[in-house]
Amino acid sequence: MKVSIITVGTELLFGQIINTNAAYLSKQLNLMGFDVMYHFVVGDNAKRLEEKLIDAYQDTNIAILTGGLGPTQDDITKEVVAEYMGAEMYMDERVKSDLIEFFSKRNRRMTDNNLKQTYLPIGCTPFYNATGTAPGFALEKDGKIAICFPGPPREMTWLFENGARQYLEHYADKKMYYKVLRTVGIGESDLETVLLPVIDGQTDPTIATYAKEGECALRIASQRTTIEDAKNAVDELIIDIDRYIGEYIYSYNNKEINDVVVDLLKEKNLKLSSAESATGGMFATTITDIPGSSSVFISSYVTYTPESKINDLGINGEVIQEKGVVSPEVAMDMAIAAINKSGSDIAVSITGYAGPDADEGHSPGEAYIGYVYGDRQGCIAVNTSRSLRDWNRRYFVLMMQKTVYLLLTDKMQ
Amino acid sequence: MKVSIITVGTELLFGQIINTNAAYLSKQLNLMGFDVMYHFVVGDNAKRLEEKLIDAYQDTNIAILTGGLGPTQDDITKEVVAEYMGAEMYMDERVKSDLIEFFSKRNRRMTDNNLKQTYLPIGCTPFYNATGTAPGFALEKDGKIAICFPGPPREMTWLFENGARQYLEHYADKKMYYKVLRTVGIGESDLETVLLPVIDGQTDPTIATYAKEGECALRIASQRTTIEDAKNAVDELIIDIDRYIGEYIYSYNNKEINDVVVDLLKEKNLKLSSAESATGGMFATTITDIPGSSSVFISSYVTYTPESKINDLGINGEVIQEKGVVSPEVAMDMAIAAINKSGSDIAVSITGYAGPDADEGHSPGEAYIGYVYGDRQGCIAVNTSRSLRDWNRRYFVLMMQKTVYLLLTDKMQ
């Protein structure tokens, strides 16, 4: 079935925000077996929105709209869609009570314009919103379907997963099944070369590789008439792929490496701690992103100055003087201090230059990762040769996660 | 003058890449005084591309296309545009010599399909590409203008700045100026209500509000014949807006609050430290995101277990026993410990439940933020009443940033 995605919001036409909603929806809809034919972006203008809705329905049956469902005057999506479909509005009591609860819980006064959000088109399928104030909905008429979501990506994705997906399943004429394998330690081009015998002449399942800083994911997808057929085809191919790159795969179900690390720590009943300089707490942030991580993560010592490394971790000032604050020696001593102070079973540390600048004689992207786990300890040198601060910090964190992963799986060289 | 942006590429409809080109072009074109009316995304399909080109020209005079100029079979943009405008092709000698040089420089063999890129529509204005192999161009006929760029963002932006911008200047009839004000502590609907006297009947400058978790941004934009007029109109209105919501505004130039906090610390030559539990290092991460933050940020004590709060921060175990680890008392003691241990001038702390779960008698989203700054110290209770871990953590961090901001600007109640 063919789909158009219409994103409503003048801020997109001003270039103030990027249309991530259209990308997310396209990805999910393709995986469900829909054909996404067009993206449209239109401003908060009723006439132009209606025109694009008409354009969309010229050769697609489903129009998915995001944005313009809020409480303000320029939120017009719901009204335009209802008008086009010839549906009157009704006040939805559940939306109203949710809304009242939403504000009272936050001890905030509910301004009257919020009530605008309690009205929905008669005959629609509401998607009640646990993440915000505006509900989404699906409305069908004469074989044309409109599905509306609020614009904030977090709300849109939540409503897609908790309502819209189930509604749409019914209209998907092909069934798709896919698995994402995540690897670390092998580049995208190497991966493709190694897998050539498997990839070559492969039509279904399809194999797609996605590179992210420092890691590479593999999507194996199959579209068949039944989900079982698709699943079997994917699982068979994965057995084949495993023979070639099994050693690099850390997840067969698209789990992020921080999630896998937390699982391994729980499984082995081990406690982790860290000492961070260049990453400024980002490593600890990724570990504590995982619910229940408090049972395996003790502490991170974010020591961002030489003094704090001395005062908080007891690093020897002379070592910093002689070797430099960004050095294998300091990284090693930070990891040792972290495990001793926290009483954890495993510790990882980092000192480096995130960029854009670095001290004399060093380059941004240079970093040293120290680790201690039982009688194993060591230091890994990293250099991205990039000056992109954000990119470097994310890469550093990934290398710290990888270090812990390799230690916990006895894969560390 | 009205503009449509048409992005060509099936990978966008698959959701494999995000449409950053449309965002970049929209921003630049608006600043030049053009009205961007629509974005279209269409796959690598001649028929559908032509249809969208026709749609675009229905109510815009300029269509800007990106993607589909490359050497491969599915690159069809140039051919469709030339066909639509009734222009024959010619081989551009300069493009050809540039192309030959491009490959010889890189010691790469030039495959014949590359020659496809040397053909341009007769009568076009070529934009020669120093960053890649495919040239861009502008083609005009009967008052309709098509401007084509290659898809790779780096090449598109370079060709826009080195060719297209100058070409377009000639057609810009208005100049736009805008400012984005960022606020914290007031919701979107409240903001609109408070500003109603200013917003009502306001046509130019326009005022638009954007909500993000816990904060809200305000865009004030004006289009006039000269940039000076536009700037004056915006600045005048901001003085007016300031009267109503000045207390909530933390940035008049769209700076993020972590950026503003780092600026304030530098300006006042003060040092910051933090003690984090629920946010797990995320507060420190946002501060150290800012280049040069090492001159104002000392350390964060990420103490994720009761034991680590006792061992690393010297929190009294009995206080944790009596009051609970998530309590104003523990938050306060964490902030005091952070400032004492780090020797910083200002410290902020947090203990709370990020969710999705919470201990008996507590709810996810409940947190306490402690702060110490000179002789001022106190604790702020927060409760999002949400179980969304990610949302809660971001909100907690924002409230910590807000706390520091209010202290540094003497706005803390």
Side-chain angles (χ1 to χ4, degrees), chain A residues 13-14 16 30 288 389, chain B residues 13 30 219 288 386 389:
Chain A
L13 298 178
F14 276 116
Q16 287 174 328
N30 274 284
T288 58
R389 185 178 182 84
Chain B
L13 299 177
N30 274 283
R219 194 195 74 239
T288 57
R386 298 188 185 211
R389 185 177 183 85

Side-chain angles (χ1 to χ4, degrees), chain B residues 215-248:
Chain B
E215 70 172 312
C216 189
L218 212 66
R219 194 195 74 239
I220 297 93
S222 174
Q223 280 198 343
R224 303 288 169 101
T225 46
T226 72
I227 195 74
E228 292 69 26
D229 291 357
K231 190 177 180 313
N232 293 336
V234 167
D235 292 342
E236 251 173 48
L237 188 62
I238 286 174
I239 294 169
D240 209 16
I241 290 169
D242 225 6
R243 290 205 198 89
Y244 292 90
I245 57 160
E247 65 194 294
Y248 300 110

Side-chain angles (χ1 to χ4, degrees), chain B residues 104-410:
Chain B
S104 63
K105 260 191 182 170
R106 290 163 179 70
N107 303 316
R108 278 168 49 195
R109 194 177 57 80
M110 184 172 90
T111 52
D112 293 346
N113 55 2
N114 278 287
L115 289 172
K116 185 168 176 289
Q117 301 169 103
T118 65
Y119 288 88
L120 286 172
I122 293 168
C124 78
T125 304
F127 304 133
Y128 296 106
N129 187 353
T131 62
T133 56
F137 66 89
L139 187 60
E140 179 170 6
K141 197 191 177 197
D142 309 332
K144 301 290 186 191
I145 298 166
I147 296 179
C148 297
F149 297 105
R154 199 172 49 90
E155 298 183 35
M156 183 278 294
T157 51
W158 190 90
L159 285 167
F160 184 86
E161 293 305 335
N162 299 274
R165 180 185 289 281
Q166 200 188 356
Y167 177 94
L168 282 163
E169 285 287 356
H170 174 64
Y171 298 94
D173 36 26
K174 285 174 282 142
K175 298 273 176 263
M176 173 185 261
Y177 181 84
Y178 76 96
K179 271 189 175 172
V180 174
L181 312 186
R182 289 173 160 270
T183 71
V184 69
I186 181 168
E188 187 177 19
S189 50
D190 288 344
L191 200 59
E192 258 215 350
T193 311
V194 175
L195 286 178
L196 215 55
V198 189
I199 293 172
D200 240 14
Q202 186 71 40
T203 55
D204 182 289
T206 55
I207 303 173
T209 58
Y210 308 102
K212 224 177 99 191
E213 68 267 350
E215 70 172 312
C216 189
L218 212 66
R219 194 195 74 239
I220 297 93
S222 174
Q223 280 198 343
R224 303 288 169 101
T225 46
T226 72
I227 195 74
E228 292 69 26
D229 291 357
K231 190 177 180 313
N232 293 336
V234 167
D235 292 342
E236 251 173 48
L237 188 62
I238 286 174
I239 294 169
D240 209 16
I241 290 169
D242 225 6
R243 290 205 198 89
Y244 292 90
I245 57 160
E247 65 194 294
Y248 300 110
I249 299 171
Y250 69 76
S251 166
Y252 291 86
N253 57 4
N254 201 20
K255 265 199 177 183
E256 302 268 347
I257 193 163
N258 53 334
D259 211 339
V260 172
V261 162
V262 168
D263 284 348
L264 284 166
L265 289 165
K266 284 181 180 171
E267 183 186 308
K268 296 170 179 290
N269 189 26
L270 295 171
K271 306 247 187 278
L272 172 68
S273 65
S274 52
E276 305 180 64
S277 187
T279 50
M282 196 187 270
F283 173 78
T285 301
T286 63
I287 297 297
T288 57
D289 272 337
I290 310 301
S293 49
S294 55
S295 66
V296 295
F297 187 75
I298 296 181
S299 57
S300 184
Y301 305 89
V302 182
T303 50
Y304 215 59
T305 61
E307 296 65 35
S308 61
K309 292 177 180 66
I310 295 167
N311 302 335
D312 293 325
L313 293 173
I315 307 298
N316 183 332
E318 284 164 10
V319 175
I320 294 177
Q321 273 298 326
E322 289 163 21
K323 309 293 184 178
V325 69
V326 174
S327 63
E329 293 78 4
V330 170
M332 202 59 248
D333 292 346
M334 286 170 71
I336 293 165
I339 204 164
N340 292 340
K341 283 179 69 74
S342 66
S344 62
D345 306 295
I346 181 165
V348 62
S349 71
I350 187 160
T351 175
Y353 297 103
D357 310 312
D359 292 338
E360 178 97 47
H362 297 273
S363 66
E366 175 187 353
Y368 300 93
I369 295 169
Y371 62 85
V372 184
Y373 177 35
D375 54 4
R376 270 169 294 178
Q377 55 173 260
C379 181
I380 293 153
V382 170
N383 198 333
T384 68
S385 312
R386 298 188 185 211
S387 56
L388 300 167
R389 185 177 183 85
D390 184 46
W391 200 98
N392 285 337
R393 279 158 55 98
R394 289 168 199 271
Y395 185 81
F396 292 166
V397 166
L398 182 69
M399 289 303 113
M400 292 169 80
Q401 295 166 332
K402 179 188 173 188
T403 301
V404 176
Y405 170 79
L406 293 175
L407 286 168
L408 292 174
T409 51
D410 299 315

Side-chain angles (χ1 to χ4, degrees), chain A residues 260-274:
Chain A
V260 172
V261 162
V262 168
D263 284 347
L264 284 166
L265 290 165
K266 283 180 180 172
E267 185 185 308
K268 296 170 179 289
N269 190 27
L270 296 172
K271 305 250 188 276
L272 172 68
S273 65
S274 53

